[in-house]
Amino acid sequence: MQENNHKQIEITNSINSANRMLIASGFHERSGAMTQIACLLGYKYLSNNISNNSEDIGYELNEEFRYEKLLINKGEGIELLKLGIEQITHNNNSIQASDVFFDLFDMIDFDRFNKNESWLTFIDVVEKICSETTATIGEIMIFMVKYLSNDKRRDSIFMLTEDNIKLLTANQNDVKNIYDPFADDGTLLAQIGNVINVENYYGQHPNREKCIMAKMTLLTNDINYKNIFIKCNDIIEPIPWNEKFDLGVTISPFGIKGGRFNEMDVRFGNFAHKRLSEISYLLDMFYNLEDDGTIRIIVPDAVLRLSSNKKIFQYLVDNEFISTIIGLPGGLFGANGVLTALLIINKTPKNKGIFYLNLRNAKTRRLWRKSLVSINDIDNYIKILSNEEEIELTSNTATIEDIKENDYNLAINRYVDSEKLEEIDIEQTIANIKAIKKELKQVDEELNTKLGGLLK
């Protein structure tokens, strides 16, 4: 884990260096330039991949168009890049390859950045980023796309540090099919795939640019195109996936509001779940889950106590599907400070009651320009989670009867105390109250005496 933290620092420093290079070269609006650099980083990976790989990778790239030729033939770099992109995106050997590659470089803007000198600068920046860190291109890409997200949405960064990914995947076996119904830019899927073995990656997102970056992120993290299934789709419209999923995982969008679902949508059963909300993603995953599958979903804390979710939680609790709820530290997703919780749901019940782990008071540290929060001593908390140890102020098992008594309110503070209450000496307290009453009576008598004297 120490190695991962060191890489995070290296990548952060290298991206800061890249920013300074862009400023020195006259790129004052850097978001667009960094997008081009991220795409160029992906081009470098695909070029290296075709040089070092003999298996079916789904695209072609002639030697004269490969990334190293851009370094040599600097006078015609932009033309070589255009031809190489054309070949990667159009010379595909199957429908699946076309789905992955056909729009992979659509975020490159040759109209806006139309000078060869601009691309020479971008190439220099890519080389500097790669040379200043021991991280792989895939690890760099995860940080790059989150950097771009942070530039456009400063209130939150939907990214987990390596320590938090370790918590998210605790006790999770390897899986054949993983699914994220709000895949964003694919970083969560890629980070999980770097910790456990995953064969196929499924996801959806309504924003086309996010889907493009998700495919780029997965490809650069050494995932073959045949195992990538990212769809540009709003969850309101159901996708007829041809597979069931062993693991559903997502960071649900916070405070999302959207249109109405079709009343006949089978994903939502009899829950009268009509409008898009954070709980929609849980129900979508549950419907598409294998019988022995698991869901790991991060939601805003308020979701646990909303009365509108009562019927859903009653079903999940009564059938013993929810195994664990973990209260996460505030500020885990950037400056907005929203409290969040991690729910672990098993479609096959594995125990009675819900194990609560409260990390709200856990010691943390800040990374990535102080925008990301990482939990200290994560291995100790994972041990508590694995053994389901009950520790005062930290963890507790709530029985189904406990939850029923709380009217299916799953809020963490209902089941794990956040602070230790001092023991109260009842007899001494009563004596103190009597003494105070006696003192107040004396004050009243003295006051009446003085007022009586004034009235005479």
Side-chain angles (χ1 to χ4, degrees):
M1 197 57 61
Q2 189 69 31
E3 179 186 356
N4 288 329
N5 292 332
H6 181 66
K7 283 184 180 179
Q8 290 174 341
I9 294 170
E10 283 184 344
I11 298 170
T12 301
N13 290 337
S14 66
I15 291 177
N16 288 337
S17 296
N19 255 321
R20 289 191 291 270
M21 286 182 66
L22 290 174
I23 294 171
S25 300
F27 293 96
H28 298 292
E29 197 284 294
R30 297 183 301 283
S31 178
M34 289 298 279
T35 298
Q36 311 309 300
I37 290 165
C39 292
L40 192 57
L41 190 65
Y43 189 86
K44 176 172 180 164
Y45 172 85
L46 295 177
S47 182
N48 293 346
N49 190 44
I50 203 167
S51 299
N52 303 325
N53 209 322
S54 59
E55 67 174 298
D56 176 14
I57 57 175
Y59 62 92
E60 295 180 10
L61 186 61
N62 292 345
E63 188 173 349
E64 61 265 31
F65 305 139
R66 294 180 189 175
Y67 181 83
E68 57 267 23
K69 299 298 181 183
L70 305 181
L71 299 174
I72 299 171
N73 302 313
K74 294 186 176 182
E76 51 186 0
I78 193 169
E79 293 303 320
L80 293 176
L81 183 60
K82 286 180 179 179
L83 292 170
I85 289 173
E86 177 75 13
Q87 193 170 37
I88 290 172
T89 56
H90 287 79
N91 289 13
N92 310 124
N93 60 12
S94 65
I95 294 175
Q96 172 65 14
S98 295
D99 284 345
V100 173
F101 293 105
F102 82 100
D103 61 353
L104 194 61
F105 291 97
D106 279 8
M107 292 172 67
I108 282 189
D109 192 347
F110 286 118
D111 292 329
R112 180 180 174 190
F113 301 98
N114 54 14
K115 295 180 180 179
N116 197 62
E117 291 77 10
S118 298
W119 288 94
L120 293 179
T121 299
F122 297 157
I123 291 170
D124 287 342
V125 170
V126 168
E127 291 305 287
K128 186 168 185 62
I129 290 174
C130 293
S131 66
E132 290 189 351
T133 174
T134 56
T136 65
I137 289 180
E139 291 168 330
I140 296 170
M141 184 64 73
I142 288 172
F143 271 73
M144 281 288 292
V145 296
K146 284 307 174 187
Y147 177 91
L148 295 172
S149 295
N150 190 33
D151 258 16
K152 296 175 182 177
R153 183 187 59 208
R154 294 188 178 277
D155 60 329
S156 59
I157 309 173
F158 287 70
M159 178 180 177
L160 295 175
T161 63
E162 296 293 339
D163 290 349
N164 298 328
I165 287 290
K166 194 173 182 181
L167 177 67
L168 181 66
T169 57
N171 308 318
Q172 176 62 52
N173 296 326
D174 298 339
V175 298
K176 179 182 179 183
N177 299 320
I178 189 173
Y179 170 53
D180 187 343
F182 192 77
D184 203 46
D185 41 36
T187 52
L188 182 61
L189 288 172
Q191 285 181 288
I192 291 174
N194 287 334
V195 175
I196 64 173
N197 291 322
V198 176
E199 184 176 337
N200 299 310
Y201 296 77
Y202 292 81
Q204 63 177 321
H205 195 279
N207 183 281
R208 181 168 171 268
E209 289 188 357
K210 291 287 188 181
C211 291
I212 291 172
M213 292 312 299
K215 290 187 291 186
M216 185 73 82
T217 300
L218 293 172
L219 285 167
T220 55
N221 278 273
D222 299 325
I223 298 162
N224 189 280
Y225 80 95
K226 290 182 285 188
N227 306 109
I228 297 173
F229 305 89
I230 301 294
K231 305 295 183 184
C232 185
N233 182 71
D234 193 316
I235 193 176
I236 288 195
E237 296 296 328
I239 294 178
W241 299 106
N242 295 322
E243 296 281 350
K244 290 290 186 179
F245 307 118
D246 308 288
L247 175 61
V249 59
T250 199
I251 303 170
S252 67
F254 298 170
I256 191 167
K257 295 179 181 180
R260 296 178 67 87
F261 292 99
N262 187 314
E263 291 185 4
M264 303 301 291
D265 196 322
V266 294
R267 292 175 294 170
F268 307 114
N270 299 316
F271 296 122
H273 191 72
K274 305 299 183 185
R275 290 192 176 275
L276 182 66
S277 69
E278 294 93 346
I279 210 72
S280 306
Y281 299 89
L282 188 158
L283 292 172
D284 174 80
M285 286 189 289
F286 194 82
Y287 175 78
N288 287 295
L289 204 62
E290 286 279 13
D291 289 341
D292 59 349
T294 300
I295 291 171
R296 295 169 184 256
I297 179 173
I298 293 174
V299 298
D301 195 64
V303 169
L304 300 179
R305 57 181 183 271
L306 284 176
S307 59
S308 58
N309 294 332
K310 177 183 173 181
K311 191 173 182 180
I312 297 166
F313 286 143
Q314 181 175 351
Y315 170 76
L316 295 173
V317 169
D318 287 349
N319 287 281
E320 302 174 15
F321 291 134
I322 303 177
S323 65
T324 306
I325 296 179
I326 302 174
L328 301 172
L332 201 64
F333 297 98
N336 60 22
V338 173
L339 286 177
T340 56
L342 166 61
L343 278 66
I344 302 178
I345 298 168
N346 299 299
K347 205 165 186 179
T348 299
K350 295 187 177 179
N351 56 357
K352 293 185 178 181
I354 299 175
F355 181 72
Y356 276 86
L357 178 61
N358 185 10
L359 302 184
R360 295 281 158 75
N361 298 322
K363 292 184 179 180
T364 60
R365 62 192 182 282
R366 290 195 170 272
L367 304 170
W368 186 271
R369 300 185 294 179
K370 296 187 176 181
S371 296
L372 297 180
V373 174
S374 189
I375 302 170
N376 292 345
D377 201 17
I378 194 66
D379 290 333
N380 181 52
Y381 290 121
I382 290 175
K383 180 182 176 183
I384 294 171
L385 178 63
S386 299
N387 298 329
E388 295 194 355
E389 299 176 44
E390 296 188 5
I391 299 175
E392 188 177 22
L393 307 182
T394 300
S395 57
N396 183 43
T397 298
T399 66
I400 293 177
E401 287 70 29
D402 293 333
I403 296 165
K404 286 180 178 179
E405 288 178 7
N406 280 293
D407 200 26
Y408 295 95
N409 184 326
L410 301 182
I412 292 161
N413 59 8
R414 294 285 182 111
Y415 308 101
V416 182
D417 293 330
S418 59
E419 59 183 1
K420 187 174 183 179
L421 299 177
E422 294 183 6
E423 292 186 3
I424 299 174
D425 187 331
I426 301 298
E427 293 184 0
Q428 183 61 49
T429 301
I430 293 172
N432 291 341
I433 291 173
K434 288 180 177 179
I436 292 170
K437 284 183 176 180
K438 183 177 180 180
E439 187 177 341
L440 287 173
K441 184 177 180 181
Q442 291 176 344
V443 171
D444 284 343
E445 290 174 352
E446 291 177 4
L447 185 61
N448 287 332
T449 301
K450 291 179 181 180
L451 288 175
L454 289 173
L455 292 173
K456 288 180 179 180

